[in-house]
Amino acid sequence: MKKFIVGILVLFVVGGGVVAAWLFRRHRARSRVLEFRAMMRDEDAPRPIEPSVALQVNEDKEATVFPGTPVWFTVNANNAAAINEIAAAGALAEKLARLTEDSSSATEKTASSP
Amino acid sequence: MSLELKPLGDVPPVVELDAVNSAEASFGTVSANVLPGTYSIVVCLGATGSWQGRVCADPVKLTVLARPEQLSPQQQLALDRQSARFGLLAGDNQAVEKYGRELMAADPRSVGGHFYVGEAKFRQGNWSEALEEFTTARSEFRRQNPNAVEHPQFLNARINQLLAKIYNAP
């Protein structure tokens, strides 16, 4: 009977160890993934600036025609990435200018108050 | 598939892309001699100017069907619309007027039909007929789209242009 109880205890200890090791490994794996995703969201990382090209057939993404009928393709090229960067930089500059104005007017008010 | 495409309208030989300028050009053929089937077509921009890369557009799908002996009214209407639009892009006024009139013959209240005939007359310098067609097209557009949020801006612009021309004429 004593041997049986000891055996059960050993089984509990070994099983608990295995479960604890599995949980620990899973926790570490998740932490690694989170670290990797955090790096991907780095806003300061340089973004490639490259042109965008778009194509349409008969002014749509799909067209159905018969042989001997008109077909035309419209190509559009732009620097959307560069346009977005400049727009974002402009918006940021505007925001900074507004913040500077707000803070200077707040300082003036504080200075003029009795 | 082999298509002999020509530039439609005034396509400059060189365009400069920067953070402000974009470029658009159309290339086409009035009669596509292509075997029936489904084609996937893509366009790529290679190294050019100061940019050394390669970027491609999403592919478009072109389905070519075997032409039936007799086109259904819907198929004929779609073909007339395509032909009128192509004529407009290619600067072929005769085709624009011809297919515009076909659209009007199929449906006297066709907004597209009145628009295409009006545009052909406008390009021919026939202001009064052009104005009549454009105002009919606008009235029909409003009648057929009573809840339209967007205004027919091109038609409005053309009508204003024509009114200015007619009233300022000596």
Side-chain angles (χ1 to χ4, degrees):
Chain A
M1 186 64 189
K2 200 175 178 182
K3 277 184 183 175
F4 178 72
I5 291 168
V6 170
I8 294 283
L9 282 173
V10 168
L11 267 176
F12 262 113
V13 170
V14 171
V18 168
V19 170
W22 178 73
L23 285 172
F24 179 68
R25 284 189 67 173
R26 200 174 72 158
H27 171 73
R28 278 192 67 185
R30 279 188 178 173
S31 305
R32 273 185 204 146
V33 170
L34 283 175
E35 273 171 26
F36 181 64
R37 286 175 71 181
M39 282 173 73
M40 291 290 284
R41 289 169 68 92
D42 183 0
E43 292 292 329
D44 296 328
R47 274 154 284 195
I49 302 288
E50 57 182 27
S52 315
V53 183
L55 177 66
Q56 287 191 314
V57 56
N58 289 12
E59 297 175 352
D60 214 333
K61 298 303 279 177
E62 292 183 15
T64 302
V65 299
F66 299 117
T69 60
V71 171
W72 67 97
F73 299 94
T74 307
V75 183
N76 184 290
N78 64 40
N79 258 331
I83 292 167
N84 290 343
E85 287 286 312
I86 286 176
L92 186 62
E94 206 176 288
K95 196 174 177 181
L96 285 173
R98 213 180 310 129
L99 281 172
T100 314
E101 272 176 28
D102 290 350
S103 63
S104 58
S105 62
T107 315
E108 275 171 25
K109 269 185 191 170
T110 316
S112 61
S113 61
Chain B
M1 180 177 74
S2 171
L3 276 173
E4 275 191 38
L5 302 175
K6 287 181 182 169
L8 302 179
D10 296 327
V11 178
V14 178
V15 290
E16 193 173 318
L17 285 182
D18 56 24
V20 179
N21 293 314
S22 60
E24 186 175 289
S26 293
F27 305 87
T29 173
V30 71
S31 174
N33 291 314
V34 191
L35 290 173
T38 300
Y39 302 88
S40 189
I41 298 151
V42 75
V43 64
C44 293
L45 180 69
T48 176
S50 59
W51 183 65
Q52 301 295 316
R54 184 177 165 83
V55 63
C56 296
D58 290 336
V60 293
K61 196 169 98 177
L62 177 65
T63 305
V64 182
L65 301 176
R67 192 174 183 131
E69 292 277 317
Q70 183 80 35
L71 293 181
S72 71
Q74 284 77 18
Q75 286 172 327
Q76 187 61 55
L77 208 59
L79 183 53
D80 289 340
R81 272 198 209 104
Q82 277 178 9
S83 301
R85 184 71 186 151
F86 184 84
L88 194 74
L89 294 170
D92 183 350
N93 283 342
Q94 281 189 333
V96 176
E97 184 168 355
K98 179 187 168 192
Y99 292 108
R101 291 205 184 280
E102 295 284 348
L103 292 172
M104 283 162 61
D107 174 14
R109 291 178 162 175
S110 164
V111 176
H114 287 286
F115 164 73
Y116 286 121
V117 175
E119 190 62 19
K121 296 292 175 193
F122 179 84
R123 292 179 181 195
Q124 290 159 14
N126 189 338
W127 310 137
S128 56
E129 280 190 49
L131 182 61
E132 196 180 323
E133 296 297 343
F134 284 136
T135 46
T136 308
R138 187 169 67 178
S139 305
E140 281 303 325
F141 176 85
R142 285 178 177 161
R143 197 184 62 80
Q144 293 169 28
N145 305 279
N147 300 319
V149 179
E150 288 186 20
H151 297 283
Q153 289 184 355
F154 189 80
L155 281 173
N156 288 343
R158 276 286 190 252
I159 289 167
N160 291 339
Q161 262 179 300
L162 285 165
L163 287 173
K165 279 180 191 295
I166 290 167
Y167 286 119
N168 294 330

